[in-house]
Amino acid sequence: MKGTSKYAPYVFIGPTLILLTVFSLLPILVAVYISLTDMDLAGLADYSNISFVGFRNYADILSDPIFLVSLRNTLFYVIIGVPLVIVCSLAVALMINFGRNRAFKIFRVVYYLPSVTNVVAVAVVWSYLYNPGIGLFNYILTSIGFDRVPWLTEPTIAKLSLILLALWRGIGLNMIIFIAALQGISRSYYEAAQLDGASNWQQLTRITIPMLRYAIVFVSITTMIGWLQFFEEPFVMTQGGPLNGTVSASLFIYQNGFQYSHFGYAAAGSFVLFFIIIAITLLQLKLQRKQAEE
Amino acid sequence: MQPSNSNAARSASSGVRLQQWLVGLTLTVFGVAMIVPFVWMMLSAFKTEGEIKQIPPTLWPETFTFDNFHRLFTEMDFTTYLVNTLLITLFSFVGLLLNAMAGFGFAKYRFKGRDKLFLLVLATMMIPGQVTMIPVYLILNSVNLTNTMIGIVLPGFISAFGIFLFRQFMSALPDEIMEATRLDGASEYKLFLQIILPMSKPILAVQAILTFIGGWNSFLWPLIIANDEKLYTLSVGLQLLKGQHGTNYALQMAGAAFMVVPIMILFVFAQKHIIENYNISGIK
């Protein structure tokens, strides 16, 4: 009896710790090592074919024009996508929270729905909507007198098309977080403001937004990290084309690792991306702390 | 004094009602835009290959056909993909049990290094998938687990966020009941299975739904690990279909609908629990 209770906690957490060690912690060490080697298919078949190359992969990848394009594209996705997702999900959350009627609860389901559906299925559907000849979007545009849009065939427009898809998928989750935070604000603040004759706009900017500060920080950091790893949309919709116009850093790493079997090179790329994510997250935390002090 | 006051109140309340209507209208317009892709998918899935290429497009299918769904199972091997997807989903519930166990271990026991280990578990959430993807593949390859079902499901068993939520919930369960059960001579494992798990039903329900959705949607890892079409999941199969029948959008929409509709139905029934999950997690 005494014996079982002594070992019990380790039995409960043991399997988790073993799996996390094998699939999360050990892989980091392996990744560090192979990023310093020329590991490829030959190396996979026979480990004696692997040779140590020092930091050559890192030097090569930082001068690889396609990798640099992928970093630029990723930055494009982040700069346009992140503010859009945050503003849209906050706006939807505010509007749903504003509603007095129970019918407003239906909107939570409607706006959240795209987030739970499969990315491949959704990409298949949007590829059809975006089809230049028989797609719904161009049909609607031409029937109200606009020109056809090359949704996925012109590099810049293709990036924007992927952002639109990701925005559609991304609103739901953040909206739910904002609604949860909005419901946590005490009604007494608003009652006091209304007694003082504050307008809706003043209540929004003086009470709601400041009270949401932590939710906004949380959402902007997680959204930023997510968009820096932008992968599934270009992977399923465009494979990075046209002319590498939509290739993201994550997609570049995947393609080099699993399509060209340049494991060492791809591992080096994954660390470059990891460092960028850490640097931007720290910068964001610092900026927000500074803002909070003012 | 009295009349003017009630007039002001009346005009204020009609102003509020107008605002309510305007906000509701805005949400409806954008909400319709949110579900247009799903509606278009459903309608197109029942059209013929010829009808889908018509310009102008038809809204309602002229000839309503189930042929596309039929072809998923005859021309493509969607039966195999469905079985694999269900198997993966089933296996991922083993992972759910492991997460619940770990959450319990961290919530209700005091042992050496507990807080540091828990921090370590949380820290793994910050490692991007791109960094672990290649080494995990190499590790599985070195023990001959690539192209196996175990290789597909094993790396996804543990969810640090899931453990966090289980720990949050179980910490709040009263210790007295545990003590009483122990006095009755129950072992720690019996205590977990017969007392703790039943008391954790709300969080288990949410996690079970999310586990099901995650398993059903699993795509990237099966794609990396499975070389053999016998191990493909529905999403990998759908990706294959997109490549093989690039212009047959009717067939593609049927495949997409087959994947999306079950999840949509599940979500509509379970949405209340999923949405409240974010209140449990304490993100405010």
Side-chain angles (χ1 to χ4, degrees):
Chain A
M1 169 65 205
K2 261 265 173 301
T4 58
S5 72
K6 194 174 169 196
Y7 293 111
Y10 298 101
V11 175
F12 284 122
I13 65 168
T16 292
L17 291 183
I18 292 170
L19 285 170
L20 276 182
T21 308
V22 175
F23 295 118
S24 288
L25 301 174
L26 178 65
I28 296 189
L29 298 178
V30 176
V32 170
Y33 174 71
I34 59 171
S35 78
L36 304 172
T37 69
D38 63 353
M39 177 94 179
D40 56 9
L41 262 192
L44 191 63
D46 184 351
Y47 289 159
S48 65
N49 289 329
I50 306 170
S51 45
F52 191 77
V53 296
F55 286 96
R56 203 181 69 200
N57 284 327
Y58 290 91
D60 286 351
I61 205 164
L62 289 172
S63 55
D64 183 334
I66 301 177
F67 185 64
L68 298 178
V69 165
S70 79
L71 287 181
R72 253 201 310 275
N73 289 342
T74 305
L75 213 60
F76 185 96
Y77 292 132
V78 167
I79 288 173
I80 296 183
V82 174
L84 261 182
V85 170
I86 295 173
V87 168
C88 291
S89 44
L90 183 58
V92 172
L94 285 170
M95 284 195 280
I96 291 178
N97 195 55
F98 179 75
R100 304 265 172 83
N101 196 301
R102 290 182 62 83
F104 277 81
K105 286 203 166 174
I106 296 169
F107 291 120
R108 298 198 309 193
V109 181
V110 168
Y111 285 88
Y112 193 75
L113 207 48
S115 316
V116 289
T117 47
N118 179 274
V119 65
V120 183
V122 154
V124 163
V125 173
W126 279 69
S127 299
Y128 176 39
L129 295 172
Y130 279 147
N131 184 290
I134 56 171
L136 182 66
F137 289 166
N138 271 356
Y139 171 71
I140 294 174
L141 285 179
T142 49
S143 57
I144 54 174
F146 286 98
D147 282 338
R148 289 170 188 276
V149 171
W151 294 105
L152 296 173
T153 43
E154 197 280 326
T156 306
I157 296 175
K159 278 195 274 285
L160 294 171
S161 303
L162 294 186
I163 288 175
L164 183 65
L165 166 58
L167 174 69
W168 176 76
R169 283 185 71 214
I171 285 180
L173 183 60
N174 292 331
M175 170 199 80
I176 294 300
I177 295 172
F178 281 134
I179 289 179
L182 281 167
Q183 286 168 351
I185 303 177
S186 163
R187 293 235 38 99
S188 59
Y189 292 111
Y190 296 103
E191 282 156 11
Q194 280 154 6
L195 281 179
D196 290 343
S199 68
N200 277 344
W201 179 253
Q202 283 170 325
Q203 290 175 41
L204 175 69
T205 52
R206 303 281 168 80
I207 302 172
T208 311
I209 302 288
M211 293 293 283
L212 284 183
R213 193 197 291 128
Y214 288 109
I216 294 175
V217 169
F218 176 82
V219 165
S220 47
I221 288 178
T222 51
T223 308
M224 176 81 89
I225 293 175
W227 281 70
L228 282 166
Q229 301 176 53
F230 199 62
F231 171 77
E232 288 163 322
E233 286 82 359
F235 178 62
V236 189
M237 299 272 286
T238 58
Q239 285 88 47
L243 305 165
N244 295 317
T246 58
V247 67
S248 65
S250 294
L251 183 56
F252 178 91
I253 294 163
Y254 174 87
Q255 286 174 334
N256 274 275
F258 293 106
Q259 284 169 0
Y260 317 139
S261 300
H262 297 153
F263 299 115
Y265 195 59
S270 74
F271 279 108
V272 174
L273 179 63
F274 195 9
F275 286 128
I276 293 174
I277 291 174
I278 292 173
I280 291 182
T281 308
L282 289 179
L283 184 75
Q284 209 179 358
L285 277 173
K286 206 173 167 186
L287 284 177
Q288 258 140 2
R289 202 165 296 151
K290 212 171 163 189
Q291 213 175 16
E293 279 165 12
E294 275 166 9
Chain B
M1 199 65 214
Q2 200 62 30
S4 82
N5 218 352
S6 78
N7 264 348
R10 201 175 306 144
S11 80
S13 84
S14 79
V16 166
R17 203 172 308 146
L18 182 69
Q19 285 174 344
Q20 290 281 318
W21 274 104
L22 281 176
V23 166
L25 193 69
T26 316
L27 281 171
T28 308
V29 170
F30 285 100
V32 167
M34 294 294 278
I35 56 170
V36 158
F38 295 127
V39 174
W40 199 240
M41 169 189 80
M42 287 309 297
L43 292 172
S44 306
F46 294 105
K47 294 176 186 170
T48 62
E49 199 177 340
E51 188 180 343
I52 210 130
K53 292 187 174 127
Q54 276 176 32
I55 294 182
T58 51
L59 181 64
W60 199 256
E62 275 170 2
T63 40
F64 197 86
T65 174
F66 280 97
D67 189 44
N68 297 312
F69 289 96
H70 187 66
R71 286 176 67 188
L72 292 177
F73 294 91
T74 50
E75 282 175 40
M76 305 283 302
D77 202 359
F78 265 58
T79 320
T80 307
Y81 309 153
L82 177 63
V83 170
N84 287 335
T85 305
L86 290 174
L87 272 178
I88 290 177
T89 309
L90 197 68
F91 279 129
S92 57
F93 279 89
V94 178
L96 179 69
L97 181 69
L98 294 181
N99 290 335
M101 281 165 52
F104 176 60
F106 282 119
K108 287 297 182 196
Y109 293 95
R110 303 184 152 275
F111 54 92
K112 220 176 151 204
R114 180 187 70 173
D115 296 342
K116 279 183 187 143
L117 283 174
F118 186 62
L119 265 182
L120 187 71
V121 170
L122 291 185
T124 60
M125 275 198 283
M126 291 192 286
I127 307 167
Q130 290 79 18
V131 172
T132 50
M133 190 165 67
I134 292 163
V136 167
Y137 174 79
L138 298 177
I139 290 169
L140 288 174
N141 187 64
S142 70
V143 289
N144 292 322
L145 281 178
T146 47
N147 210 20
T148 64
M149 188 53 93
I150 297 176
I152 293 175
V153 294
L154 208 52
F157 266 1
I158 301 305
S159 151
F161 191 55
I163 293 174
F164 170 76
L165 292 179
F166 274 119
R167 180 181 168 270
Q168 287 278 92
F169 188 90
M170 289 172 175
S171 302
L173 295 179
D175 289 327
E176 292 77 13
I177 294 174
M178 291 175 58
E179 287 307 326
T181 318
R182 282 193 186 114
L183 285 178
D184 286 346
S187 75
E188 299 298 308
Y189 314 110
K190 206 173 166 188
L191 170 74
F192 173 69
L193 288 173
Q194 295 187 347
I195 306 293
I196 298 297
L197 280 188
M199 287 176 83
S200 307
K201 243 186 219 148
I203 185 80
L204 269 175
V206 177
Q207 289 295 309
I209 295 161
L210 293 179
T211 302
F212 183 86
I213 294 177
W216 180 266
N217 286 345
S218 61
F219 168 57
L220 185 61
W221 201 242
L223 180 76
I224 291 174
I225 292 293
N227 302 322
D228 194 337
E229 220 185 294
K230 289 270 166 290
L231 282 173
Y232 277 11
T233 60
L234 282 173
S235 17
V236 180
L238 192 58
Q239 166 94 338
L240 186 74
L241 171 97
K242 185 172 186 271
Q244 288 180 351
H245 301 268
T247 55
N248 188 348
Y249 286 111
L251 188 60
Q252 290 186 25
M253 291 311 112
F258 187 74
M259 279 222 70
V260 163
V261 171
I263 289 296
M264 281 168 84
I265 294 171
L266 176 72
F267 174 69
V268 168
F269 280 106
Q271 52 93 11
K272 204 166 163 261
H273 300 285
I274 298 180
I275 287 170
E276 270 154 22
N277 186 34
Y278 293 96
N279 296 333
I280 298 174
S281 69
I283 302 163
K284 281 191 179 172

